[in-house]
Amino acid sequence: MTRPRHVPRPLLLVVLALLGWGGTALAQLQQAPPPRNDGTLSLSFDAARARMIDRSDKLAAARAAVESKELQGEGVKGLGGPVVSISGLAYAYNANLNLDLDPLNQKLGQIGSSLPPSIQGFIARVPIPQLPNSYTLNRHDTGANASVSAVWPLYVGGATDAVRGFVSAQTREAQADAEQAGHEVDTLLVQRYFGAQLAQRAATLRAQAERTIAQHDSAAQKMLAAGVISRVERLQASAAYEEARRNARKAEDDAALAAVALARTVRADGSVMPQTPLFVISAPVEPLGYFIDSALTRHPGLDKVAAKKSQAEQLHEGEEALRRPQVIAFGTRELKSGNADWVAGVGVRWTLYDSIDRNALSAASLKQVEQAERTGAQARSDISLLVERNWRALENARRQYLEMKVSVELAQEVVRLRTSGLREGTSTTLDLIDAETNQAKVLTERAQAANDYVQALAQLLESAGLSDRFSDYIARADVRVN
C-alpha cells in the first residue's frame, strides 16, 4: 500500500494547530529542565573535588598508612643508642634445715671407752645427757634490692642504619600509594561527575523526544480517522512511540543510577546537581613529549618502584651487617649507699662460623635489588606507552567532537525540512518522527563525544601524574556543552 504524498491543506492547518508546531521542536530538544527547589546540592567540579578529598575513605586510609610509617620512622630514629634500665626486687624467704643427731649421740656414748680406767669409773657414776634424735634449723628474713643497668651498642656492622633506611623506604612507598590513590579518586570523580551530566542530558533528550513523538502519535490517530494516512503508517507511528517510551525509561534509570553514584562519591545525603558542564578544548593540548616527561618524573608508580628498590638494598645491607663483628659497652650498679656492687665492661662478638649460608643469603638479597631495577625499567616503558595511548585517545575524542558538528547541523536541517514538508504535504508524520528521533540521537552522541574527551583527558592526566591540574584544563575550555 502506498502512502499518500499530499494532505489537504485545511486538515494540515488543524493538525499543526493541535501539535503547536512552528519551529519549536529543536528548541524543546535543547531546553534544559528548570532547576528543582528540593534541597539538591549544586556543586562545581572544584567544590565536588574539595568535598570528596575531605570525606573520601580511600584517601583517609592512604593517609593513615603514611602516618603509620612516619611514626615508625620516628620510633626507630634513635635505634643503636644506649639503653638504660632500672630494676628492683623485694623478697622474703623461709628456710628449714633438718639435722640428724643420732650419730652424735652414738659418739657421745663412746667417749667413756677411750678414757683411762680411773676416769671411766667416775663417768660411769655421772650419766651423759642424750641429744634429741633430730633438730630443725629455721631461718627467715625479708629484703629488697635495686640496680641500674646500661647497654650501648658501639658497633653493630651497620644493622641499625639498615633498619632505619628500610623503614624510611616503606614510608616513601606508603606516600607513593597515597598519591596514586589521590589520582585514582580524581579520575573517579571525573567519571561520575561528568557521567552524571551525560546521563541526565540523555534522559532529558529522550524524555523530550518521547513527548514530541507522543504528540505525533496522537495526530496520526486523528489523521487515520480522517482517512488522510493509511493504517500501516498509523501502526508505524505507534511503534515509534513505544520505542521512544522504552528509550526514555532506560535513560531515566541510567541517570538515576549515575546521580546516586555521584552523590556517594562526594558523600552527599541527597542528590547532586553538577554546575561545571561538559567541555572540549578545540585546540590540541600539549605535545606527547610533555606528558611523557611529566610521567617519568611525577608518576607515583615509579616512586613506589624506587621505594621497593631501596627496601631491597637495605635488606641486603642488613644481611651484610650480620657478618661483621658487634661491639657493645655495658654496666650495672646496685642502687644503695655505701659499698654497692657494680660491674662495667666492653663485649665483642664475631660469628666465625654459622650453619646458615650467608653468601647465599647475600646473593639472594642482591637478586631482589636486581628485580626492583628491572621492574622499574619495565614500569617506565609501560607508563610511557600508557601516556601515549591516552594522549592519542584524547586527540581522537577532540576530532570526533568537532567533526560531529556537521552531523548535528544535518539532523537539525532534516527536522526543519520534514516539518516544512509536512505543512506542504510532501512529508509524512513518520518522516518527521524519524527526523526528530535521529536529531535526539545525534545530540546525545555529540554529548557522549564531549564526555569521551573529558574522560580521556582525566586518564591522560592521571597517567602523567597531573590529575591535580584538571581544573586548569577546565579553565582553558572554549567549548562548553550546556
Side-chain angles (χ1 to χ4, degrees):
M1 181 182 297
T2 59
R3 295 182 299 180
R5 302 301 298 173
H6 298 282
V7 182
R9 188 172 184 82
L11 182 57
L12 275 176
L13 293 176
V14 174
V15 173
L16 291 175
L18 291 173
L19 294 180
W21 285 337
T24 61
L26 178 60
Q28 289 178 350
L29 286 173
Q30 293 180 333
Q31 182 181 5
R36 297 173 300 172
N37 188 19
D38 57 358
T40 298
L41 183 62
S42 298
L43 292 175
S44 67
F45 179 80
D46 288 340
R49 182 174 184 268
R51 186 183 178 95
M52 177 195 66
I53 291 175
D54 183 58
R55 305 187 181 195
S56 171
D57 291 331
K58 183 174 183 178
L59 293 182
R63 287 192 295 266
V66 173
E67 292 169 1
S68 173
K69 294 302 179 182
E70 289 175 345
L71 291 173
Q72 286 183 10
E74 290 293 326
V76 300
K77 184 179 291 184
L79 185 65
V83 177
V84 180
S85 60
I86 186 171
S87 61
L89 60 90
Y91 60 89
Y93 71 89
N94 181 71
N96 294 313
L97 177 62
N98 293 321
L99 299 178
D100 186 5
L101 299 181
D102 283 340
L104 183 58
N105 285 328
Q106 294 175 4
K107 292 294 184 182
L108 291 175
Q110 296 172 359
I111 291 177
S113 62
S114 62
L115 297 175
S118 59
I119 298 178
Q120 289 181 8
F122 176 78
I123 293 177
R125 293 193 298 270
V126 179
I128 298 176
Q130 293 290 316
L131 298 174
N133 293 331
S134 64
Y135 184 78
T136 301
L137 295 176
N138 177 265
R139 182 67 183 270
H140 59 274
D141 199 358
T142 60
N145 186 24
S147 62
V148 60
S149 302
V151 177
W152 192 341
L154 301 179
Y155 177 74
V156 289
T160 55
D161 292 336
V163 172
R164 283 192 291 267
F166 184 81
V167 174
S168 177
Q170 285 186 320
T171 302
R172 294 195 299 273
E173 180 184 359
Q175 291 170 342
D177 288 337
E179 187 176 354
Q180 180 62 41
H183 290 308
E184 290 174 354
V185 297
D186 277 340
T187 302
L188 178 64
L189 177 62
V190 171
Q191 292 174 355
R192 294 184 175 177
Y193 186 90
F194 293 100
Q197 289 191 54
L198 176 65
Q200 183 57 52
R201 183 178 180 83
T204 300
L205 290 172
R206 293 294 186 183
Q208 291 169 348
E210 178 191 5
R211 289 192 295 269
T212 301
I213 295 175
Q215 293 176 341
H216 297 335
D217 180 67
S218 177
Q221 178 62 36
K222 294 181 176 63
M223 295 173 73
L224 176 64
V228 177
I229 62 174
S230 65
R231 180 171 176 76
V232 171
E233 291 177 307
R234 173 69 188 96
L235 292 175
Q236 288 175 331
S238 296
Y241 174 56
E242 290 301 323
E243 182 179 3
R245 287 182 58 189
R246 291 193 302 270
N247 291 336
R249 298 293 84 74
K250 183 179 184 304
E252 183 180 358
D253 291 342
D254 292 343
L257 181 60
V260 170
L262 175 59
R264 293 185 178 178
T265 301
V266 299
R267 296 295 190 272
D269 295 331
S271 58
V272 176
M273 180 179 293
Q275 294 298 308
T276 303
L278 287 163
F279 64 92
V280 175
I281 302 174
S282 58
V285 295
E286 292 83 356
L288 175 61
Y290 168 82
F291 293 101
I292 290 180
D293 291 342
S294 175
L296 296 181
T297 56
R298 294 172 58 97
H299 197 286
L302 297 179
D303 293 337
K304 181 171 183 176
V305 172
K308 286 290 189 182
K309 179 184 176 183
S310 180
Q311 292 176 37
E313 291 172 341
Q314 297 303 325
L315 287 174
H316 174 71
E317 184 59 31
E319 290 287 346
E320 293 298 306
L322 296 178
R323 307 173 71 170
R324 303 184 184 110
Q326 296 95 39
V327 181
I328 64 169
F330 64 92
T332 183
R333 185 186 188 280
E334 282 188 307
L335 293 177
K336 71 175 184 178
S337 60
N339 189 18
D341 295 335
W342 63 271
V343 63
V346 176
V348 179
R349 181 178 182 273
W350 193 354
T351 302
L352 300 178
Y353 173 78
D354 195 342
S355 59
I356 297 176
D357 191 342
R358 296 293 178 185
N359 292 329
L361 293 178
S362 178
S365 59
L366 284 176
K367 287 296 182 182
Q368 289 182 327
V369 175
E370 180 183 355
Q371 177 189 6
E373 291 175 346
R374 299 285 186 178
T375 302
Q378 184 64 47
R380 285 189 290 272
S381 176
D382 292 344
I383 289 173
S384 297
L385 181 60
L386 177 62
V387 169
E388 182 169 355
R389 186 185 70 182
N390 291 336
W391 185 84
R392 294 185 182 279
L394 179 66
E395 280 299 292
N396 289 335
R398 182 185 67 86
R399 289 194 296 265
Q400 182 179 4
Y401 179 85
L402 296 177
E403 292 168 357
M404 289 185 68
K405 180 180 179 182
V406 176
S407 299
V408 173
E409 293 175 348
L410 175 61
Q412 294 170 347
E413 182 64 17
V414 170
V415 170
R416 189 187 67 80
L417 290 175
R418 294 307 184 200
T419 303
S420 176
L422 189 58
R423 292 194 187 100
E424 300 297 330
T426 59
S427 298
T428 65
T429 302
L430 187 60
D431 292 334
L432 182 57
I433 289 175
D434 291 341
E436 291 178 334
T437 302
N438 181 66
Q439 179 179 241
K441 175 175 175 292
V442 171
L443 290 173
T444 303
E445 289 175 348
R446 200 179 192 207
Q448 177 65 58
N451 186 61
D452 291 343
Y453 178 88
V454 170
Q455 303 303 331
L457 177 61
Q459 294 289 342
L460 174 61
L461 295 180
E462 179 185 346
S463 61
L466 299 171
S467 292
D468 55 342
R469 299 186 182 177
F470 187 84
S471 296
D472 297 340
Y473 289 86
I474 295 178
R476 290 168 52 182
D478 55 345
V479 177
R480 298 182 184 275
V481 184
N482 293 309

